[in-house]
Amino acid sequence: MKKIFAAGTMAGVMLSFGLAAGPAMAQPVQATPDIPVDTTGPSSAGLAEALRRDLGISMAQFNAAGELGRRAAEAAPGLRTLPGFVGISLDAGTIKVQGVGPELRAKVDELNRSGHPDFVLVPPMATPAPTPAAPSAAALQDTPQASPPAPVLVAGDIDQLYRAYLRDVGPQGLQAIAYTGGHFVIRTGSVNTPESGTQTNQPEATPATSGPTGTGKMTPAQFVALYTNVKLEKGAAVKTEGDLLGGQGYYADNTAICSAGFSAFSPAGLPLVLTAGHCTADGLARQAAVEPPSWAPASGPGAATPQPLPPLAPLGTFGFSQFGGPGNSAAAADGSVAGTDIAVIQNIAPSVTPLPATTTWASPAAPDPVKIIGTMAPFQGQDVCRSGRTSGWKCGTVDAVGIWMMPGEKSLPPNYDNDLRPVRAFDSSTVKSAGGDSGGPWISGNFAVGTHTGAESENGVQTRAIAATLQDALAVLPGYQLELFLNKPAVTAPASGMAYQPGQQISGQVPAAPASAVAAGSSVRITFQGKDPFEVPVDAGTWTFTAPQDAGTLRFTAETVNGYSRSGANSFEFASASPPVPPASPAPTAPPATPAPSSPAPATPAPPASTATVPAPAVPAPADPSPMPPAETPAVVPPPAAGPATSAPPAGLANTGGSGDAGSGGLAYTGPSGLVPAVAGAGAALVIGILLTVIVRRRKRPSD
């Protein structure tokens, strides 16, 4: 991690996602007297210490919990499509699937056969437990409906329940609709107070369960009474966290301060930082600057004068942001789509290098960040930890997942519910947070789960922390990718220093450490000099490709890639185990050499290849021993007279080129010119034989 040097005195800045920055200067700003400043800074406790302190587990157990959550997240989309499905939760190393039905049972059995028998099918909660927030019968007598209807409905979807509630009850007084413990919970009835620099204590409003709100069709209690698996709870004040000065984080326009979340890439592959959307004041903020390390204004006697901040290192500019529904919209009675709380810091300063990691708030010299290898959905019962510039590391378990109503920019007293922004989120009563932690990362093992958005407090005591789900946040950023940690690939066969055989399998490994696994969907990009690169998949950390058949030295580079995430390349070189092959003789360009001309064909020649084209000469048997006239011996059909004369092909080669077919009456010329010497020789041999016969007969004739 690089260090930030500002005015020659600043050293070692660590944002919550592991920012690395270089020298930079900016104009100083002053903290105003009426803004309380947090001078404590983040806890120095690392993740391992936080896990022992808050959860009583080790790093290995935390990583195992992350892997369990990943398997649940992979199975969830298929489970949600099946009838009878209600929800998923994690408990004691198992994945509990709430629901009933044969299809759901068959799917759970199939998942358990995949090698990880972690899934357990459990029936959903049939009847909501009694709650103190439920109105009394006397209270219901003052409402449009004198008594709650008998439960007849079963809620099976957060979005359906959210839309129905806004339609029948309205957004006023609503704090959350969530899923936990096999049933759904609707929280209402408290004041949403934003945590601002001029925070004042506001009186709590009358609980929303006392009468009709919103559209006035029914009260929250009457709505909940319609469902067999929905419970009503009284909530506490919900507030965003992101506007206190001090500690570590980043400044939005040199005023509000938040924590950085995760590093990412734009659709064009440019580096980005993800944080909370409410930190941008509905998109009005323009510049982001890195908070100086270990800065705190003077305190104690004589410290009434506000102290100027040191020069700030620029981080980037704010791009897309959304807090609530599309276009920073508030919840409406028409059941508008629930949104998120996400912002993008783009145009990252050259002095800053975002890293796919979350700082553990250890010493600047040894930050030991937690590597991020993917994202997953949150589940009730999941072990999680969050990191922020104010309170450092805090860990706990997820209590509920759903839609939270967060106070927006236009929220006004006394109820602060005139601008409630619906955010898909999860909460935890065991994770603590503080002002300035907004935007910081929530993780489970090495997986990104959410970004911090706010907290719920009652009588000044925080009761739960709330985080926007990262998967839902990324859904409003099409084409954007989370940056993932990737190790460089290593070659395992052939071993280092050994030779290779052309055509053999070259295999290697992508190490996981210090992460728990290699990011899913990774591949290794192989590049030979002068050739186009190609990619081979990484399966359980291993990769292979076939070496080319060339017998020369094997040289290539290998780099682990996953979308726009890169590991950096390693270079490899292996000598060939095959002996050098001498240079081959150049291929002949002329016809091959012909053998020496042979003597004429034997006296008994083979018949011509085609008697239809070249008839055999007719040689009648002699009637008497007198020699036949020599003029009559040639019985060969001469070549056609028309056309130029052609040279005979070399001896021993068939003439199949048809070079003498002109004037042949359209018949293919198949080389009869090679038969002429043979036929002439046969005729000569016949004449000699007749003469010898005549001579012998004359010698045997008796003398007179």
Side-chain angles (χ1 to χ4, degrees), residues 54-55 394-399 428-432 463-465:
D54 300 336
L55 289 171
K394 303 295 179 186
C395 302
T397 56
V398 174
D399 289 336
S428 173
S429 58
T430 50
V431 174
K432 302 303 179 184
T463 54
R464 64 186 72 246

Side-chain angles (χ1 to χ4, degrees), residues 575-681:
S576 174
S578 301
V581 179
S585 301
T589 55
T594 59
S598 59
S599 58
T604 307
S610 176
T611 55
T613 305
V614 185
V619 183
D624 54 49
S626 61
M628 297 183 65
E632 296 180 18
T633 47
V636 181
V637 178
T646 58
S647 59
L653 293 181
N655 180 10
T656 58
S659 57
D661 60 354
S664 61
L667 296 177
Y669 180 70
T670 56
S673 59
L675 299 177
V676 173
V679 175

Side-chain angles (χ1 to χ4, degrees), residues 68 88-96 98 118 120 380-382:
L68 189 71
I88 299 178
S89 62
L90 308 182
D91 181 30
T94 62
I95 304 171
K96 291 186 175 181
Q98 285 88 20
D118 307 313
V120 178
Q380 188 257 326
Q382 188 174 20

Side-chain angles (χ1 to χ4, degrees), residues 79-149:
L79 291 168
R80 289 193 183 102
T81 63
L82 301 178
F85 173 79
V86 176
I88 299 178
S89 62
L90 308 182
D91 181 30
T94 62
I95 304 171
K96 291 186 175 181
V97 179
Q98 285 88 20
V100 293
E103 294 182 50
L104 203 57
R105 164 58 66 187
K107 183 63 176 180
V108 168
D109 292 341
E110 176 187 338
L111 291 169
N112 283 329
R113 288 193 297 268
S114 63
H116 296 283
D118 307 313
F119 293 84
V120 178
L121 183 63
V122 296
M125 180 177 176
T127 305
T131 171
S136 64
L140 288 174
Q141 290 177 358
D142 298 328
T143 64
Q145 297 184 12
S147 60

Side-chain angles (χ1 to χ4, degrees), residues 53 199 290 292 335 362 411 413 503 595 617 637 704:
R53 178 194 66 216
Q199 177 179 341
V290 177
S411 290
V637 178
D704 296 331

Side-chain angles (χ1 to χ4, degrees), residues 323-678:
F323 180 31
N328 303 308
S329 58
D334 61 0
S336 56
V337 177
T340 186
D341 186 10
I342 192 69
V344 170
I345 301 175
Q346 59 190 19
N347 300 321
I348 302 300
S351 58
V352 177
T353 303
L355 300 176
T358 298
T359 179
T360 60
W361 295 109
S363 66
D368 192 25
V370 178
K371 309 299 185 182
I372 302 301
I373 61 172
T375 182
M376 69 166 64
F379 298 98
Q380 188 257 326
Q382 188 174 20
D383 292 333
V384 289
C385 293
R386 50 147 297 279
S387 181
R389 46 79 58 201
T390 304
S391 55
W393 277 106
K394 303 295 179 186
C395 302
T397 56
V398 174
D399 289 336
V401 181
I403 299 172
W404 285 85
M405 310 298 281
M406 306 300 296
E409 285 291 307
K410 298 182 284 294
S411 290
L412 298 172
N415 296 327
Y416 291 95
D417 59 3
N418 58 295
D419 185 22
L420 295 178
R421 308 289 179 86
V423 174
R424 296 185 185 276
F426 58 97
D427 69 351
S428 173
S429 58
T430 50
V431 174
K432 302 303 179 184
S433 60
D437 287 337
S438 274
W442 285 61
I443 65 171
S444 182
N446 295 112
F447 296 90
V449 182
T451 51
H452 191 64
T453 187
E456 180 184 276
S457 299
E458 189 170 12
N459 299 323
V461 178
Q462 185 184 105
T463 54
R464 64 186 72 246
I466 307 166
T469 55
L470 186 61
Q471 285 191 344
D472 291 313
L474 291 173
V476 305
L477 296 169
Y480 287 69
Q481 300 177 9
L482 196 69
E483 185 177 8
L484 305 178
F485 165 74
L486 300 169
N487 277 312
K488 293 182 179 180
V491 172
T492 56
S496 178
M498 302 299 290
Y500 85 102
Q501 291 285 352
Q504 84 169 79
Q505 289 292 304
I506 307 297
S507 59
Q509 187 80 19
V510 176
S516 59
V518 179
S522 298
S523 60
V524 171
R525 179 170 294 170
I526 308 297
T527 304
F528 291 94
Q529 185 175 4
K531 297 182 179 180
D532 292 334
F534 61 92
E535 294 185 9
V536 293
V538 176
D539 183 10
T542 62
W543 53 274
T544 61
F545 74 93
T546 304
Q549 292 292 337
D550 304 6
T553 300
L554 181 68
R555 297 185 182 91
F556 65 93
T557 63
E559 180 181 27
T560 313
V561 297
N562 193 308
Y564 287 123
S565 299
R566 300 285 187 272
S567 69
N570 272 338
S571 298
F572 301 95
E573 180 174 322
F574 298 94
S576 174
S578 301
V581 179
S585 301
T589 55
T594 59
S598 59
S599 58
T604 307
S610 176
T611 55
T613 305
V614 185
V619 183
D624 54 49
S626 61
M628 297 183 65
E632 296 180 18
T633 47
V636 181
V637 178
T646 58
S647 59
L653 293 181
N655 180 10
T656 58
S659 57
D661 60 354
S664 61
L667 296 177
Y669 180 70
T670 56
S673 59
L675 299 177
V676 173

